[in-house]
Amino acid sequence: MKILRMNSVTKFYEGTRALKDLSLEVSESERIVILGPSGCGKTTILRLVAGFMAPEEGSIFISGQLVSQDGHIILTPEQRNLGMVFQDLALWPHLSVKGNIAFGLKAKGVQKQERETRIHNILQMVGMEGYSKRKPDELSGGQQQRVALARALVLRPRILLMDEPLSSLDLELNIRLREEILRLQEELGFTLLYVTHDREEAFGIANRVVILSKGRVEFDGTVDAARAHLTQ
Ligand code: ADP
Ligand code: MG
């Protein structure tokens, strides 16, 4: 069974058509990167999958379950069991690192003992043990992204959605965090749906590349095939 299916999805914003009859099927544990220039509809795809809005036309299924269809949200974001690391979805500034990571676990009713264990383990996995009492403004940009990643992954999501999560970092840190995302994905086995406008970043992360152009899929295939397609 496909973990995600988007069937002939069309999305409008006040008359502008952001996605046009877009279909996409994602298998479990794939690492899909959606690559394309600013304004081509990448973030719109993630917002639709997350459940912040519904497509005017078409339907979306997650793990075989209908989550939205023809303008209606059927499952809310909380009911979809997804992880999100979005550019503009920052850490809560008034909460410590631990508080930020604990928030979602508390909301899901995970008991204190289990919370402590899971927070400890995930901080270790992202290399942030020892930082649990710090506030976000006492961390570097790269450290904040690690915490955002930990906050998403501690909930053990079926799919991790990432929207240009590394674009504000310098190249060296960008490459290091890419490697960590790959390592975490291998270790935890989530499906990754990752969005970027940066080719090298896309090729470094993906095992499948979807090139988006003006709200349509222009190409869908392996990293090698995507490279060839773009140098034609
Ligand atoms: P990307 O993430 O690839 O840069 P987006 O999905 O954000 O692209 O946007 C796709 C298109 O939809 C763009 O033309 C953008 O201007 C438009 N758009 C996005 N969000 C809104 C909005 N809230 N209101 C109106 N137009 C929007
Ligand atoms: Mg965007």
Side-chain angles (χ1 to χ4, degrees):
M1 194 214 307
K2 297 290 175 186
I3 192 156
L4 173 66
R5 257 175 51 213
M6 300 178 77
N7 290 335
S8 303
V9 163
T10 295
K11 177 68 202 169
F12 291 93
Y13 294 107
E14 296 144 18
T16 332
R17 200 162 50 171
L19 296 179
K20 294 161 197 165
D21 195 25
L22 180 129
S23 293
L24 183 67
E25 293 200 341
V26 180
S27 298
E28 208 149 319
S29 298
E30 267 187 312
R31 296 191 309 273
I32 298 220
V33 176
I34 299 173
L35 173 67
S38 176
C40 72
K42 305 183 295 297
T43 296
T44 300
I45 292 178
L46 294 191
R47 284 193 201 129
L48 289 169
V49 174
F52 299 142
M53 56 193 196
E56 276 72 40
E57 291 163 25
S59 54
I60 302 176
F61 292 80
I62 294 175
S63 302
Q65 197 172 11
L66 183 66
V67 298
S68 57
Q69 185 173 37
D70 299 337
H72 300 286
I73 300 262
I74 293 157
L75 282 195
T76 64
E78 298 76 40
Q79 293 169 324
R80 296 188 184 194
N81 189 20
L82 308 174
M84 295 168 216
V85 180
F86 284 11
Q87 224 174 2
D88 54 355
L89 209 79
L91 299 171
W92 292 292
H94 61 293
L95 293 180
S96 65
V97 165
K98 187 175 173 182
N100 265 280
I101 300 173
F103 192 90
L105 291 171
K106 285 181 188 164
K108 273 178 83 175
V110 176
Q111 295 303 303
K112 188 168 167 61
Q113 187 68 49
E114 167 80 3
R115 279 205 313 265
E116 295 287 331
T117 309
R118 280 167 70 170
I119 293 170
H120 174 82
N121 289 343
I122 201 72
L123 281 176
Q124 205 162 29
M125 275 191 191
V126 300
M128 288 295 288
E129 66 267 60
Y131 289 86
S132 66
K133 292 199 173 71
R134 298 258 189 118
K135 292 280 174 61
D137 67 0
E138 297 166 331
L139 301 173
S140 70
Q143 290 171 333
Q144 289 183 24
Q145 285 305 54
R146 284 169 203 262
V147 175
L149 197 53
R151 183 175 62 174
L153 291 177
V154 80
L155 299 172
R156 298 177 184 160
R158 294 186 274 203
I159 307 175
L160 180 64
L161 308 176
M162 301 189 90
D163 194 350
E164 314 238 11
L166 308 180
S167 56
S168 63
L169 306 176
D170 63 53
L171 186 60
E172 195 184 329
L173 193 55
N174 181 312
I175 291 172
R176 213 164 72 216
L177 281 180
R178 269 185 226 167
E179 284 163 4
E180 295 202 15
I181 292 168
L182 291 180
R183 184 178 52 77
L184 287 166
Q185 197 259 347
E186 198 157 293
E187 218 165 301
L188 300 171
F190 52 85
T191 303
L192 181 62
L193 187 56
Y194 189 106
V195 155
T196 183
H197 66 276
D198 184 300
R199 287 182 189 187
E200 287 313 313
E201 190 178 315
F203 298 156
I205 294 243
N207 59 13
R208 177 177 158 200
V209 179
V210 171
I211 299 175
L212 201 65
S213 171
K214 296 180 185 151
R216 290 177 195 270
V217 174
E218 175 191 301
F219 168 92
D220 184 346
T222 63
V223 171
D224 286 344
R227 273 190 202 281
H229 176 82
L230 288 169
T231 51
Q232 265 168 21

Short mmCIF file of all heavy atoms in Angstrom, two decimals, residues 86-141:
data_model
loop_
_atom_site.label_atom_id
_atom_site.label_comp_id
_atom_site.label_asym_id
_atom_site.label_seq_id
_atom_site.Cartn_x
_atom_site.Cartn_y
_atom_site.Cartn_z
N PHE A 86 9.23 22.99 9.18
CA PHE A 86 9.00 24.02 8.18
C PHE A 86 9.89 25.21 8.50
O PHE A 86 10.17 25.50 9.65
CB PHE A 86 7.53 24.49 8.18
CG PHE A 86 6.59 23.51 7.52
CD1 PHE A 86 6.98 22.23 7.18
CD2 PHE A 86 5.28 23.89 7.25
CE1 PHE A 86 6.10 21.35 6.57
CE2 PHE A 86 4.38 23.02 6.64
CZ PHE A 86 4.80 21.74 6.30
N GLN A 87 10.28 25.90 7.43
CA GLN A 87 11.09 27.10 7.55
C GLN A 87 10.48 28.09 8.55
O GLN A 87 11.16 28.66 9.37
CB GLN A 87 11.12 27.77 6.18
CG GLN A 87 12.46 28.24 5.74
CD GLN A 87 12.39 28.73 4.30
OE1 GLN A 87 11.34 28.74 3.67
NE2 GLN A 87 13.51 29.14 3.80
N ASP A 88 9.16 28.27 8.42
CA ASP A 88 8.51 29.31 9.20
C ASP A 88 7.78 28.76 10.43
O ASP A 88 6.98 29.44 11.04
CB ASP A 88 7.52 30.09 8.31
CG ASP A 88 6.53 29.16 7.62
OD1 ASP A 88 6.68 27.94 7.76
OD2 ASP A 88 5.62 29.66 6.95
N LEU A 89 8.04 27.51 10.76
CA LEU A 89 7.42 26.92 11.94
C LEU A 89 8.49 26.80 13.01
O LEU A 89 9.04 25.73 13.25
CB LEU A 89 6.83 25.55 11.60
CG LEU A 89 5.63 25.11 12.41
CD1 LEU A 89 4.36 25.79 11.92
CD2 LEU A 89 5.46 23.61 12.33
N ALA A 90 8.84 27.94 13.62
CA ALA A 90 9.99 27.99 14.52
C ALA A 90 9.71 27.32 15.85
O ALA A 90 8.58 26.95 16.15
CB ALA A 90 10.36 29.45 14.73
N LEU A 91 10.74 27.19 16.66
CA LEU A 91 10.59 26.66 18.02
C LEU A 91 9.85 27.69 18.86
O LEU A 91 9.91 28.88 18.60
CB LEU A 91 11.97 26.41 18.62
CG LEU A 91 12.83 25.39 17.87
CD1 LEU A 91 14.25 25.40 18.42
CD2 LEU A 91 12.23 24.00 17.97
N TRP A 92 9.17 27.22 19.91
CA TRP A 92 8.53 28.16 20.82
C TRP A 92 9.61 28.83 21.67
O TRP A 92 10.34 28.15 22.39
CB TRP A 92 7.52 27.43 21.71
CG TRP A 92 6.37 26.94 20.92
CD1 TRP A 92 5.42 27.71 20.32
CD2 TRP A 92 6.03 25.59 20.61
NE1 TRP A 92 4.52 26.91 19.65
CE2 TRP A 92 4.87 25.61 19.82
CE3 TRP A 92 6.60 24.35 20.93
CZ2 TRP A 92 4.27 24.46 19.34
CZ3 TRP A 92 6.00 23.21 20.45
CH2 TRP A 92 4.84 23.27 19.66
N PRO A 93 9.70 30.18 21.58
CA PRO A 93 10.83 30.87 22.21
C PRO A 93 10.82 30.83 23.73
O PRO A 93 11.88 30.90 24.36
CB PRO A 93 10.68 32.32 21.72
CG PRO A 93 9.26 32.44 21.28
CD PRO A 93 8.83 31.08 20.83
N HIS A 94 9.63 30.69 24.35
CA HIS A 94 9.53 30.73 25.81
C HIS A 94 9.78 29.37 26.45
O HIS A 94 9.88 29.26 27.65
CB HIS A 94 8.16 31.27 26.22
CG HIS A 94 7.03 30.40 25.74
ND1 HIS A 94 6.73 30.26 24.40
CD2 HIS A 94 6.17 29.62 26.42
CE1 HIS A 94 5.71 29.42 24.27
NE2 HIS A 94 5.35 29.01 25.48
N LEU A 95 9.86 28.32 25.62
CA LEU A 95 10.09 26.97 26.16
C LEU A 95 11.54 26.55 25.95
O LEU A 95 12.17 26.92 24.96
CB LEU A 95 9.18 25.95 25.47
CG LEU A 95 7.67 26.06 25.71
CD1 LEU A 95 6.94 24.96 24.94
CD2 LEU A 95 7.35 25.96 27.20
N SER A 96 12.04 25.75 26.90
CA SER A 96 13.39 25.18 26.76
C SER A 96 13.39 24.16 25.64
O SER A 96 12.33 23.80 25.11
CB SER A 96 13.79 24.50 28.07
OG SER A 96 12.92 23.39 28.29
N VAL A 97 14.57 23.66 25.30
CA VAL A 97 14.69 22.59 24.31
C VAL A 97 13.81 21.41 24.73
O VAL A 97 13.01 20.89 23.94
CB VAL A 97 16.18 22.14 24.20
CG1 VAL A 97 16.31 20.81 23.48
CG2 VAL A 97 17.00 23.23 23.51
N LYS A 98 13.93 21.03 25.99
CA LYS A 98 13.14 19.91 26.50
C LYS A 98 11.64 20.21 26.43
O LYS A 98 10.85 19.36 26.00
CB LYS A 98 13.55 19.61 27.94
CG LYS A 98 12.91 18.37 28.49
CD LYS A 98 13.46 18.07 29.87
CE LYS A 98 12.70 16.92 30.49
NZ LYS A 98 13.17 16.65 31.85
N GLY A 99 11.27 21.44 26.81
CA GLY A 99 9.87 21.84 26.77
C GLY A 99 9.31 21.79 25.36
O GLY A 99 8.17 21.36 25.14
N ASN A 100 10.12 22.24 24.41
CA ASN A 100 9.70 22.20 23.00
C ASN A 100 9.43 20.77 22.55
O ASN A 100 8.46 20.50 21.85
CB ASN A 100 10.78 22.83 22.11
CG ASN A 100 10.51 24.29 21.82
OD1 ASN A 100 9.71 24.62 20.97
ND2 ASN A 100 11.16 25.16 22.58
N ILE A 101 10.33 19.85 22.94
CA ILE A 101 10.19 18.46 22.48
C ILE A 101 9.07 17.74 23.25
O ILE A 101 8.36 16.91 22.69
CB ILE A 101 11.54 17.72 22.61
CG1 ILE A 101 12.59 18.43 21.76
CG2 ILE A 101 11.41 16.26 22.18
CD1 ILE A 101 13.98 17.90 21.93
N ALA A 102 8.90 18.12 24.51
CA ALA A 102 7.89 17.46 25.35
C ALA A 102 6.46 17.84 24.95
O ALA A 102 5.52 17.07 25.16
CB ALA A 102 8.11 17.82 26.82
N PHE A 103 6.31 19.03 24.34
CA PHE A 103 4.99 19.59 24.07
C PHE A 103 4.06 18.61 23.35
O PHE A 103 2.94 18.33 23.81
CB PHE A 103 5.14 20.89 23.28
CG PHE A 103 3.88 21.68 23.19
CD1 PHE A 103 3.58 22.63 24.16
CD2 PHE A 103 2.98 21.47 22.16
CE1 PHE A 103 2.41 23.37 24.09
CE2 PHE A 103 1.81 22.21 22.09
CZ PHE A 103 1.52 23.15 23.05
N GLY A 104 4.54 18.09 22.23
CA GLY A 104 3.71 17.17 21.43
C GLY A 104 3.44 15.86 22.15
O GLY A 104 2.37 15.26 21.99
N LEU A 105 4.40 15.42 22.93
CA LEU A 105 4.23 14.16 23.67
C LEU A 105 3.15 14.32 24.73
O LEU A 105 2.31 13.44 24.93
CB LEU A 105 5.55 13.74 24.34
CG LEU A 105 6.68 13.30 23.40
CD1 LEU A 105 7.99 13.13 24.18
CD2 LEU A 105 6.32 12.00 22.68
N LYS A 106 3.18 15.49 25.41
CA LYS A 106 2.14 15.77 26.42
C LYS A 106 0.77 15.81 25.76
O LYS A 106 -0.19 15.24 26.27
CB LYS A 106 2.42 17.10 27.12
CG LYS A 106 3.56 17.04 28.12
CD LYS A 106 3.76 18.41 28.77
CE LYS A 106 5.00 18.43 29.63
NZ LYS A 106 5.44 19.78 29.98
N ALA A 107 0.71 16.51 24.62
CA ALA A 107 -0.57 16.63 23.90
C ALA A 107 -1.12 15.26 23.52
O ALA A 107 -2.33 15.07 23.47
CB ALA A 107 -0.39 17.50 22.66
N LYS A 108 -0.22 14.31 23.26
CA LYS A 108 -0.66 12.97 22.89
C LYS A 108 -0.92 12.09 24.11
O LYS A 108 -1.29 10.92 23.97
CB LYS A 108 0.41 12.29 22.02
CG LYS A 108 0.27 12.60 20.54
CD LYS A 108 1.36 11.96 19.72
CE LYS A 108 1.10 10.52 19.36
NZ LYS A 108 2.15 9.99 18.45
N GLY A 109 -0.67 12.64 25.30
CA GLY A 109 -0.96 11.90 26.53
C GLY A 109 0.10 10.87 26.91
O GLY A 109 -0.17 9.95 27.67
N VAL A 110 1.33 11.06 26.39
CA VAL A 110 2.42 10.14 26.77
C VAL A 110 2.84 10.42 28.22
O VAL A 110 3.05 11.58 28.59
CB VAL A 110 3.62 10.31 25.80
CG1 VAL A 110 4.80 9.44 26.22
CG2 VAL A 110 3.20 10.03 24.36
N GLN A 111 2.93 9.38 29.02
CA GLN A 111 3.24 9.52 30.45
C GLN A 111 4.67 10.01 30.70
O GLN A 111 5.55 9.81 29.87
CB GLN A 111 3.02 8.18 31.17
CG GLN A 111 1.57 7.72 31.17
CD GLN A 111 0.63 8.74 31.80
OE1 GLN A 111 0.81 9.13 32.95
NE2 GLN A 111 -0.37 9.17 31.05
N LYS A 112 4.86 10.62 31.89
CA LYS A 112 6.12 11.30 32.20
C LYS A 112 7.36 10.41 32.01
O LYS A 112 8.33 10.82 31.36
CB LYS A 112 6.08 11.85 33.62
CG LYS A 112 7.26 12.74 33.95
CD LYS A 112 7.04 13.48 35.25
CE LYS A 112 8.30 14.12 35.79
NZ LYS A 112 8.93 15.12 34.95
N GLN A 113 7.31 9.21 32.56
CA GLN A 113 8.46 8.30 32.47
C GLN A 113 8.84 8.03 31.01
O GLN A 113 10.01 8.15 30.62
CB GLN A 113 8.10 6.98 33.17
CG GLN A 113 9.26 6.02 33.30
CD GLN A 113 10.30 6.55 34.28
OE1 GLN A 113 9.96 6.96 35.38
NE2 GLN A 113 11.55 6.57 33.84
N GLU A 114 7.84 7.71 30.21
CA GLU A 114 8.04 7.43 28.79
C GLU A 114 8.53 8.68 28.05
O GLU A 114 9.40 8.61 27.19
CB GLU A 114 6.70 6.92 28.21
CG GLU A 114 6.60 6.86 26.70
CD GLU A 114 7.25 5.64 26.08
OE1 GLU A 114 7.74 4.78 26.83
OE2 GLU A 114 7.28 5.57 24.83
N ARG A 115 7.97 9.83 28.45
CA ARG A 115 8.40 11.11 27.85
C ARG A 115 9.89 11.33 28.07
O ARG A 115 10.63 11.65 27.15
CB ARG A 115 7.63 12.28 28.47
CG ARG A 115 6.26 12.51 27.91
CD ARG A 115 5.79 13.96 28.09
NE ARG A 115 5.97 14.55 29.40
CZ ARG A 115 5.04 14.59 30.36
NH1 ARG A 115 3.85 14.06 30.17
NH2 ARG A 115 5.29 15.18 31.52
N GLU A 116 10.30 11.16 29.33
CA GLU A 116 11.71 11.39 29.69
C GLU A 116 12.63 10.51 28.84
O GLU A 116 13.63 10.97 28.32
CB GLU A 116 11.93 11.06 31.19
CG GLU A 116 11.19 11.97 32.15
CD GLU A 116 11.78 13.37 32.25
OE1 GLU A 116 13.00 13.51 32.05
OE2 GLU A 116 11.02 14.32 32.51
N THR A 117 12.27 9.23 28.71
CA THR A 117 13.10 8.30 27.95
C THR A 117 13.17 8.72 26.48
O THR A 117 14.25 8.75 25.89
CB THR A 117 12.48 6.87 28.02
OG1 THR A 117 12.24 6.57 29.39
CG2 THR A 117 13.39 5.83 27.42
N ARG A 118 12.01 9.04 25.92
CA ARG A 118 11.99 9.38 24.50
C ARG A 118 12.73 10.68 24.22
O ARG A 118 13.43 10.81 23.21
CB ARG A 118 10.55 9.42 23.97
CG ARG A 118 10.07 7.99 23.69
CD ARG A 118 8.59 7.88 23.47
NE ARG A 118 8.15 8.45 22.21
CZ ARG A 118 6.92 8.29 21.71
NH1 ARG A 118 6.04 7.55 22.37
NH2 ARG A 118 6.58 8.85 20.59
N ILE A 119 12.60 11.67 25.11
CA ILE A 119 13.30 12.94 24.92
C ILE A 119 14.82 12.73 25.02
O ILE A 119 15.59 13.22 24.20
CB ILE A 119 12.81 14.00 25.95
CG1 ILE A 119 11.35 14.37 25.65
CG2 ILE A 119 13.70 15.24 25.90
CD1 ILE A 119 10.69 15.21 26.73
N HIS A 120 15.22 11.93 26.01
CA HIS A 120 16.64 11.63 26.18
C HIS A 120 17.19 10.97 24.91
O HIS A 120 18.24 11.37 24.39
CB HIS A 120 16.83 10.71 27.40
CG HIS A 120 18.23 10.23 27.58
ND1 HIS A 120 19.20 10.99 28.19
CD2 HIS A 120 18.83 9.09 27.18
CE1 HIS A 120 20.34 10.34 28.17
NE2 HIS A 120 20.15 9.17 27.57
N ASN A 121 16.49 9.97 24.41
CA ASN A 121 16.95 9.22 23.24
C ASN A 121 17.02 10.09 21.98
O ASN A 121 18.00 10.03 21.24
CB ASN A 121 16.04 8.02 22.95
CG ASN A 121 16.21 6.94 24.01
OD1 ASN A 121 17.19 6.94 24.76
ND2 ASN A 121 15.25 6.03 24.08
N ILE A 122 16.00 10.92 21.78
CA ILE A 122 15.98 11.70 20.54
C ILE A 122 17.05 12.81 20.59
O ILE A 122 17.68 13.11 19.58
CB ILE A 122 14.57 12.26 20.22
CG1 ILE A 122 14.45 12.60 18.74
CG2 ILE A 122 14.21 13.48 21.03
CD1 ILE A 122 14.37 11.43 17.82
N LEU A 123 17.28 13.39 21.80
CA LEU A 123 18.32 14.42 21.90
C LEU A 123 19.69 13.82 21.60
O LEU A 123 20.54 14.44 20.97
CB LEU A 123 18.31 15.07 23.29
CG LEU A 123 17.22 16.13 23.49
CD1 LEU A 123 17.23 16.64 24.94
CD2 LEU A 123 17.41 17.30 22.52
N GLN A 124 19.88 12.58 22.05
CA GLN A 124 21.13 11.88 21.75
C GLN A 124 21.26 11.65 20.24
O GLN A 124 22.31 11.89 19.66
CB GLN A 124 21.11 10.54 22.48
CG GLN A 124 22.46 9.98 22.77
CD GLN A 124 22.38 8.92 23.85
OE1 GLN A 124 21.35 8.24 23.99
NE2 GLN A 124 23.42 8.77 24.62
N MET A 125 20.16 11.22 19.62
CA MET A 125 20.19 10.94 18.18
C MET A 125 20.54 12.15 17.34
O MET A 125 21.20 12.03 16.32
CB MET A 125 18.83 10.42 17.71
CG MET A 125 18.65 8.94 17.88
SD MET A 125 17.16 8.48 16.98
CE MET A 125 16.96 6.83 17.58
N VAL A 126 20.05 13.33 17.75
CA VAL A 126 20.35 14.54 16.95
C VAL A 126 21.59 15.28 17.48
O VAL A 126 21.90 16.37 17.03
CB VAL A 126 19.14 15.52 16.86
CG1 VAL A 126 17.94 14.84 16.21
CG2 VAL A 126 18.78 16.08 18.23
N GLY A 127 22.28 14.65 18.43
CA GLY A 127 23.52 15.23 18.93
C GLY A 127 23.32 16.47 19.79
O GLY A 127 24.14 17.39 19.77
N MET A 128 22.22 16.50 20.54
CA MET A 128 21.93 17.69 21.35
C MET A 128 21.77 17.35 22.84
O MET A 128 21.15 18.13 23.58
CB MET A 128 20.67 18.39 20.83
CG MET A 128 20.85 19.11 19.50
SD MET A 128 21.98 20.51 19.59
CE MET A 128 20.97 21.66 20.51
N GLU A 129 22.31 16.21 23.28
CA GLU A 129 22.23 15.91 24.70
C GLU A 129 23.06 16.96 25.44
O GLU A 129 24.06 17.45 24.92
CB GLU A 129 22.69 14.47 25.03
CG GLU A 129 24.15 14.17 24.79
CD GLU A 129 24.41 13.59 23.41
OE1 GLU A 129 24.10 14.27 22.41
OE2 GLU A 129 24.94 12.47 23.34
N GLY A 130 22.61 17.36 26.60
CA GLY A 130 23.32 18.42 27.32
C GLY A 130 22.76 19.81 27.04
O GLY A 130 23.16 20.78 27.67
N TYR A 131 21.84 19.91 26.10
CA TYR A 131 21.26 21.23 25.76
C TYR A 131 19.81 21.36 26.20
O TYR A 131 19.15 22.33 25.85
CB TYR A 131 21.32 21.46 24.25
CG TYR A 131 22.72 21.70 23.72
CD1 TYR A 131 23.54 20.63 23.38
CD2 TYR A 131 23.20 22.99 23.57
CE1 TYR A 131 24.82 20.85 22.89
CE2 TYR A 131 24.48 23.22 23.08
CZ TYR A 131 25.28 22.15 22.75
OH TYR A 131 26.54 22.36 22.26
N SER A 132 19.32 20.40 26.97
CA SER A 132 17.87 20.34 27.19
C SER A 132 17.30 21.56 27.93
O SER A 132 16.14 21.90 27.74
CB SER A 132 17.49 19.04 27.91
OG SER A 132 18.03 19.05 29.21
N LYS A 133 18.12 22.25 28.73
CA LYS A 133 17.60 23.39 29.50
C LYS A 133 17.71 24.71 28.75
O LYS A 133 17.16 25.72 29.17
CB LYS A 133 18.35 23.49 30.83
CG LYS A 133 18.06 22.34 31.79
CD LYS A 133 18.43 22.71 33.21
CE LYS A 133 17.99 21.66 34.21
NZ LYS A 133 18.80 20.43 34.10
N ARG A 134 18.43 24.72 27.62
CA ARG A 134 18.61 25.97 26.88
C ARG A 134 17.32 26.44 26.23
O ARG A 134 16.47 25.64 25.84
CB ARG A 134 19.64 25.77 25.76
CG ARG A 134 21.00 25.39 26.24
CD ARG A 134 21.94 26.59 26.23
NE ARG A 134 23.29 26.13 26.49
CZ ARG A 134 24.31 26.24 25.65
NH1 ARG A 134 24.12 26.79 24.46
NH2 ARG A 134 25.51 25.81 25.98
N LYS A 135 17.23 27.76 26.08
CA LYS A 135 16.13 28.36 25.31
C LYS A 135 16.58 28.48 23.85
O LYS A 135 17.78 28.60 23.59
CB LYS A 135 15.79 29.75 25.87
CG LYS A 135 15.18 29.73 27.26
CD LYS A 135 13.70 29.40 27.21
CE LYS A 135 13.08 29.23 28.58
NZ LYS A 135 13.16 30.45 29.41
N PRO A 136 15.63 28.50 22.91
CA PRO A 136 16.01 28.59 21.49
C PRO A 136 16.99 29.73 21.17
O PRO A 136 17.89 29.55 20.37
CB PRO A 136 14.67 28.80 20.79
CG PRO A 136 13.71 28.05 21.66
CD PRO A 136 14.19 28.29 23.07
N ASP A 137 16.81 30.90 21.83
CA ASP A 137 17.71 32.01 21.47
C ASP A 137 19.12 31.83 22.05
O ASP A 137 19.99 32.66 21.83
CB ASP A 137 17.11 33.37 21.87
CG ASP A 137 16.99 33.56 23.37
OD1 ASP A 137 17.38 32.64 24.13
OD2 ASP A 137 16.50 34.62 23.79
N GLU A 138 19.34 30.74 22.78
CA GLU A 138 20.70 30.42 23.25
C GLU A 138 21.35 29.34 22.39
O GLU A 138 22.33 28.72 22.78
CB GLU A 138 20.65 29.95 24.72
CG GLU A 138 20.14 31.03 25.66
CD GLU A 138 19.76 30.51 27.04
OE1 GLU A 138 19.37 29.33 27.17
OE2 GLU A 138 19.87 31.29 28.00
N LEU A 139 20.76 29.09 21.22
CA LEU A 139 21.28 28.07 20.31
C LEU A 139 21.62 28.69 18.96
O LEU A 139 21.00 29.67 18.55
CB LEU A 139 20.21 26.99 20.08
CG LEU A 139 19.69 26.22 21.29
CD1 LEU A 139 18.53 25.34 20.87
CD2 LEU A 139 20.79 25.39 21.94
N SER A 140 22.57 28.06 18.24
CA SER A 140 22.88 28.50 16.88
C SER A 140 21.77 28.05 15.93
O SER A 140 20.92 27.23 16.31
CB SER A 140 24.20 27.88 16.43
OG SER A 140 24.02 26.49 16.22
N GLY A 141 21.79 28.55 14.70
CA GLY A 141 20.79 28.17 13.71
C GLY A 141 20.76 26.67 13.48
O GLY A 141 19.69 26.05 13.40
#
